Amino acid sequence: MSWLSSSQGVVLTAYHPSGKDQAVGDSHAKGGEEATSSRRYGQYTMNQESTTTKVMEKPPFDRSISQDSLDEQSMEDYWIELENIKKSSENRQEDQEVVVVKEPDEGELEEEWLKEAGLSNLFGESAGDPQESMVFLSTLTRTQAAAVQKRVETVSQTLRKKNKQYQIPDVRDIFAQQRESKETAPDGTESQSLRTNENKYQGRDDEASNLVGEEKLIPPEETPAPETDINLEVSFAEQALNQKESSKEKIQKSKGDDATLPSFRLPKDKTGTTRIGDLAPQDMKKVCHLALIELTALYDVLGIELKQQKAVKIKTKDSGLFCVPLTVLLEQDQRKVPGMRIPLIFQKLISRIEEGGLETEGLLRIPGAAIRIKNLCQELEAKFYEGTFNWESVKQHDAASLLKLFIRELPQPLLSVEYLKAFQAVQNLPTKKQQLQALNLLVILLPDANRDTLKALLEFLQRVIDNKEKNKMTVMNVAMVMAPNLFMCHALGLKSSEQREFVMAAGTANTMHLLIRYQKLLWTIPKFIVNQVRKQNTENHKKDKRAMKKLLKKMAYDREKYEKQDKSTNDADVPQGVIRVQAPHLSKVSMAIQLTEELKASDVLARFLSQESGVAQTLKKGEVFLYEIGGNIGERCLDDDTYMKDLYQLNPNAEWVIKSKPL
């Protein structure tokens, strides 16, 4: 069994053993029917009404409800793709059993949200002394803390209504303790935010780190960053609140065509850009907790409802290729190829499309022949893992149709059950910049398997777009074709007006456009979140240190001796302004490197690789990386443009290690 969800009622449909596969008629033209058999081993619709699926005609174009940049012609590919999907699936529910699942109880979703945010110890049976969460809460921005407070209040009210026997802490007490812990740390010193000399947003960043209850508003910058910059140093929700509160700035509805879409970029950060995959698992877990809180705070500030989906059970296949959960596929694949992170069938379908040449006109838009697709599915299921499948027999358009079919038939959406609706809601955010910020947080929140597969898909789609002069597939054309496969296929049973359908179509196509165009930006972890993790780690180290001192005192050790030893540990054999770089798995000798204003991580690596002896001789650039380990971070892989002196000032207690990236 696996889990699917809905914040409303859920209609759960399961494959009926007596059902028969029904083929869709052959098609060769652009508007033809894309094939898929009606066999569905796991499918669901988020609706309590009838699940009868009707092939819907394209809604009439109405400029008043569309995004200005989209016209009827540019939406044509979307409607053709959607109708192909619906026609291929219209009979699938005749052979399925339908089970209606009860709507979640009041407060249940908020309780799940707090668990996902790492704050389950604030309520329920595990509640009690909330000190465990005080360090975490002390790092939150004003808007983040407000989002947490809102959910804690809802859960507390729900638990009181249910007359639970265990103690329910008052939310005012939790945040009162949090404010006290910020004002004066237990060792008598004032808690300080992390600072860097090169942080050009420092003033805003410090004030954005204030806790809930502090009334002071963050003043707008005198000289705001250029519109095309994505500021990763200040909380997105705080930026939105500043913009909302400022009478000087007006939020305008964003436009979506390729010509008017601003060219967003990341400003250079001297302490280095952190990408997904650069952090150790324990720090990445903290990043995900903070990303969920930040996403919720952003949606709260902008007045957009964000409900995490409630999981329910659904039966799925436990082997095979199609209609199989990503995690099951990867377990199968890792038995053949250890460390595999993207399903082999997914990679092979992309390879087959590319072998046919990415210059083919109408690639991804023109469907393969229905009967061939059905036969290929059955043959792949039987022969793929045996290695006897004849890939030469797969035509390019058939491979493209199989790729889209694979995505649609995942029992849980590629964009995940929990966050599919949040991805769909991105279109409701007022500006393109805010939509990008939300997508950045959502990508961070995706399960690893979903995120890695999505990245492989987006990289492939970009390669298709790179050949747009010959294949006639621009970024918007590709977005139109792919959007219904990622966003709409799990909601085909929803009844909605033509107006709502058009708005959803335009919105999801534009969201797909952003995912493709800004994929590199979206796989970046915002600096303000990394800084919050650093602060959490610093406070936890202080807490551990105080506990150790207390223990030593009880054991009658010389505390003064311990403190003196602890103070000098990091400075014992390294002169000021010098770092010692180690490569324990590659070299027995460490390197002492003098820090200069211009020294970058790439320079350190180049110096190591230029050594005349040892393993370094056989290594090439890209095979090993420089890591920042310890101090206020667990582990972080540095990008080549990291300025070492600036990073050293941010984390003076770190060790510097050269090693390869784990699989």
Side-chain angles (χ1 to χ4, degrees), residues 451-468:
R451 191 196 305 121
D452 293 339
T453 305
L454 177 63
K455 189 171 191 290
L457 174 65
L458 295 177
E459 288 171 348
F460 162 67
L461 296 179
Q462 185 58 57
R463 293 195 293 274
V464 172
I465 294 160
D466 290 342
N467 290 273
K468 63 186 176 184

Side-chain angles (χ1 to χ4, degrees), residues 218-431:
I218 302 170
E221 270 193 307
E222 293 178 8
T223 54
E227 183 58 29
T228 50
D229 278 357
I230 294 291
N231 180 1
L232 297 184
E233 301 196 10
V234 179
S235 155
F236 299 153
E238 293 292 336
Q239 292 180 47
L241 188 59
N242 292 339
Q243 188 178 18
K244 199 174 177 183
E245 290 171 345
S246 173
S247 57
K248 295 178 183 177
E249 296 183 51
K250 293 180 181 178
I251 298 177
Q252 297 179 345
K253 194 69 180 175
S254 53
K255 301 186 178 185
D257 68 16
D258 204 25
T260 61
L261 189 62
S263 181
F264 292 107
R265 62 178 182 266
L266 293 175
K268 288 288 184 183
D269 177 8
K270 285 201 162 187
T271 60
T273 301
T274 307
R275 303 199 178 276
I276 292 171
D278 286 349
L279 296 178
Q282 67 268 29
D283 281 341
M284 193 60 198
K285 188 175 180 182
K286 293 171 189 171
V287 166
C288 290
H289 290 161
L290 289 162
L292 175 57
I293 295 171
E294 177 65 18
L295 178 71
T296 308
L298 178 62
Y299 277 50
D300 282 354
V301 167
L302 297 172
I304 307 296
E305 186 180 23
L306 175 65
K307 282 193 175 181
Q308 202 173 355
Q309 303 303 296
K310 176 61 183 171
V312 296
K313 288 183 179 179
I314 183 172
K315 186 174 182 180
T316 60
K317 290 169 63 179
D318 55 9
S319 64
L321 297 176
F322 296 89
C323 309
V324 178
L326 280 175
T327 50
V328 174
L329 274 170
L330 288 173
E331 284 172 10
Q332 290 176 171
D333 293 347
Q334 286 165 2
R335 286 195 285 268
K336 291 187 170 292
V337 185
M340 182 56 56
R341 298 174 64 90
I342 299 160
L344 288 171
I345 180 63
F346 189 83
Q347 294 184 59
K348 188 59 187 175
L349 287 170
I350 287 176
S351 296
R352 185 59 189 157
I353 296 169
E354 293 188 317
E355 284 167 11
L358 295 179
E359 298 177 351
T360 305
E361 187 170 339
L363 188 60
L364 296 175
R365 186 182 66 226
I366 298 174
I371 294 174
R372 282 203 309 270
I373 300 300
K374 180 186 175 183
N375 292 337
L376 285 169
C377 279
Q378 293 171 346
E379 200 175 343
L380 277 165
E381 293 279 11
K383 298 180 179 179
F384 179 74
Y385 284 116
E386 292 179 1
T388 57
F389 181 77
N390 179 20
W391 283 99
E392 296 299 319
S393 67
V394 182
K395 297 176 185 285
Q396 191 179 34
H397 289 309
D398 291 349
S401 290
L402 285 167
L403 181 70
K404 291 186 287 184
L405 179 67
F406 172 86
I407 294 167
R408 289 199 308 274
E409 289 205 345
L410 287 171
Q412 298 93 357
L414 184 59
L415 299 179
S416 85
V417 173
E418 294 82 2
Y419 298 110
L420 178 61
K421 281 196 169 183
F423 272 100
Q424 291 171 337
V426 164
Q427 62 181 297
N428 299 322
L429 301 181
T431 69

Side-chain angles (χ1 to χ4, degrees), residues 107-147:
E108 198 173 342
L109 290 173
E110 285 78 2
E111 191 171 324
E112 189 66 29
W113 184 92
L114 286 166
K115 286 179 183 176
E116 290 294 319
L119 293 167
S120 57
N121 65 328
L122 293 182
F123 65 92
E125 294 173 347
S126 60
D129 181 8
Q131 286 297 326
E132 193 179 328
S133 294
M134 288 306 101
V135 168
F136 181 80
L137 293 171
S138 72
T139 66
L140 300 185
T141 65
R142 170 185 50 169
T143 47
Q144 288 174 348

Side-chain angles (χ1 to χ4, degrees), residues 559-569:
R559 192 170 61 155
E560 188 178 335
K561 182 181 177 183
Y562 166 77
E563 288 175 348
K564 187 176 180 183
Q565 180 188 349
D566 180 66
K567 192 173 182 182
S568 61
T569 299

